[in-house]
């Protein structure tokens, strides 16, 4: 599939969300929508009604990142609403494999996310049931934090497993991804890049997406995992 860019609207102007989404149309592969419940993470953003409303107004596929408790119950409705990809946190799920199955059954790609302190080795058996693994490169909850380079070995390990086991697994990174960090992520094996402040704090968000894509693509093309 190659490099994909998923701008996070967490850094956009929530008062004019549809217009903010339109600013990256054509330059972004996805719109990354961060759902936070003030339980799983200490922040509150938006939920299903706003995602449903956005889906009626945007052309770009929606990539929901659910930072919420009990995704077993709450994740499938985002897929039913028409999100193209729904990612839940393994730390919050009672039955991660069941959540992935339900998301897929409702018609979306299923993603699972790992917080920085969560080891990938505990979830190797889950990977064949996923379409995407999200390796968090900040503590989930807020935009604009510093990139955690010590998460790169986890990205590399995920790519190794996917490659060795022949899995069609996209590997997403989220948190602090910007012009000065995206190449390290691509080199380690990531292929889906979430960027919030790097896109929406730029004067031209579409141009920021194109610049990030070019940097990631050039690095990926020259990387061990793409060979
Ligand atoms: C943080 C969210 C991210 C956030 C990234 O918990 O999951 O998607 O918007 O923001 P930046 O790119 O600014 O680190
Ligand atoms: Zn996110």
């Amino acid at each position: 599939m190659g490099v994909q860019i998923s701008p996070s609207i967490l850094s956009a102007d929530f008062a004019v969300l549809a217009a903010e989404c339109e600013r990256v149309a054509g330059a972004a592969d996805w719109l990354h929508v961060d759902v936070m419940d003030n339980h799983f993470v200490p922040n509150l953003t938006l939920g299903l009604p706003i995602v449903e409303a956005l889906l009626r107004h945007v052309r770009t596929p929606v990539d929901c990142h659910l930072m919420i408790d009990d995704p077993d119950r709450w994740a499938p409705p985002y897929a039913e609403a028409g999100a193209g990809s729904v990612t839940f946190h393994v730390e919050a799920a009672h039955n991660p494999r069941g959540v992935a199955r339900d998301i897929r059954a409702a018609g979306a790609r299923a993603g699972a996310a790992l917080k920085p302190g969560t080891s990938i080795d505990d979830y190797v058996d889950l990977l064949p049931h996923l379409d995407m693994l999200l390796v968090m490169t900040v503590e989930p909850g807020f935009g604009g934090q510093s990139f955690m380079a010590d998460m790169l070995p986890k990205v590399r390990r995920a790519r190794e497993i996917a490659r060795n086991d022949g899995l069609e697994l996209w590997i997403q990174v989220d948190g602090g991804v910007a012009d000065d960090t995206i190449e390290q992520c691509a080199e380690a094996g990531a292929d889906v890049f979430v960027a919030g402040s790097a896109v929406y704090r730029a004067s031209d968000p579409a141009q920021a997406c194109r610049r990030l894509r070019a940097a990631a693509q050039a690095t990926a093309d020259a990387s061990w995992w793409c060979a």
Side-chain angles (χ1 to χ4, degrees):
M1 184 71 190
V3 162
Q4 299 179 72
I5 304 295
S6 188
S8 166
I9 58 169
L10 187 61
S11 294
D13 182 347
F14 274 15
V16 285
L17 261 191
E20 290 281 81
C21 293
E22 191 58 32
R23 291 174 80 194
V24 297
D29 300 281
W30 297 90
L31 289 168
H32 185 85
V33 178
D34 290 298
V35 175
M36 305 187 192
D37 66 353
N38 203 27
H39 288 268
F40 181 70
V41 289
N43 195 6
L44 184 67
T45 54
L46 51 86
L48 188 59
I50 292 181
V51 171
E52 287 172 333
L54 266 184
L55 283 163
R56 288 193 288 272
H57 286 274
V58 301
R59 300 176 278 159
T60 312
V62 167
D63 163 33
C64 284
H65 175 194
L66 305 181
M67 285 159 274
I68 61 172
D69 280 345
D70 199 9
D72 306 67
R73 176 171 175 191
W74 300 111
Y78 289 87
E80 286 156 17
S85 177
V86 178
T87 298
F88 62 96
H89 269 267
V90 296
E91 303 87 357
H94 305 289
N95 173 7
R97 199 181 290 190
V99 184
R101 180 199 57 222
D102 291 348
I103 290 170
R104 282 175 162 178
R109 296 178 59 86
L114 307 178
K115 287 167 64 166
T118 303
S119 166
I120 186 171
D121 293 315
D122 295 334
Y123 292 96
V124 173
D125 291 346
L126 177 64
L127 302 183
H129 304 276
L130 301 176
D131 300 300
M132 185 167 79
L133 181 75
L134 165 51
V135 177
M136 289 302 300
T137 44
V138 297
E139 286 297 339
F142 299 93
Q145 303 182 76
S146 299
F147 178 74
M148 295 171 67
D150 51 343
M151 292 301 113
L152 291 170
K154 198 190 289 189
V155 175
R156 190 174 290 270
R157 175 89 184 106
R159 180 54 70 189
E160 264 168 11
I161 297 168
R163 202 169 128 122
N164 292 343
D165 296 356
L167 304 178
E168 289 282 329
L169 184 71
W170 295 354
I171 299 173
Q172 185 177 63
V173 283
D174 181 8
V177 176
D179 289 331
D180 58 342
T181 55
I182 195 166
E183 290 171 356
Q184 305 164 56
C185 299
E187 195 282 329
D191 54 0
V192 187
F193 303 87
V194 177
S197 43
V199 169
Y200 277 104
R201 300 277 158 81
S203 54
D204 183 342
Q207 179 61 26
C209 289
R210 287 192 284 269
R211 211 173 44 237
L212 289 167
R213 182 191 304 280
Q217 192 69 64
T219 310
D221 285 346
S223 290
W224 62 278
W225 60 271
C226 231

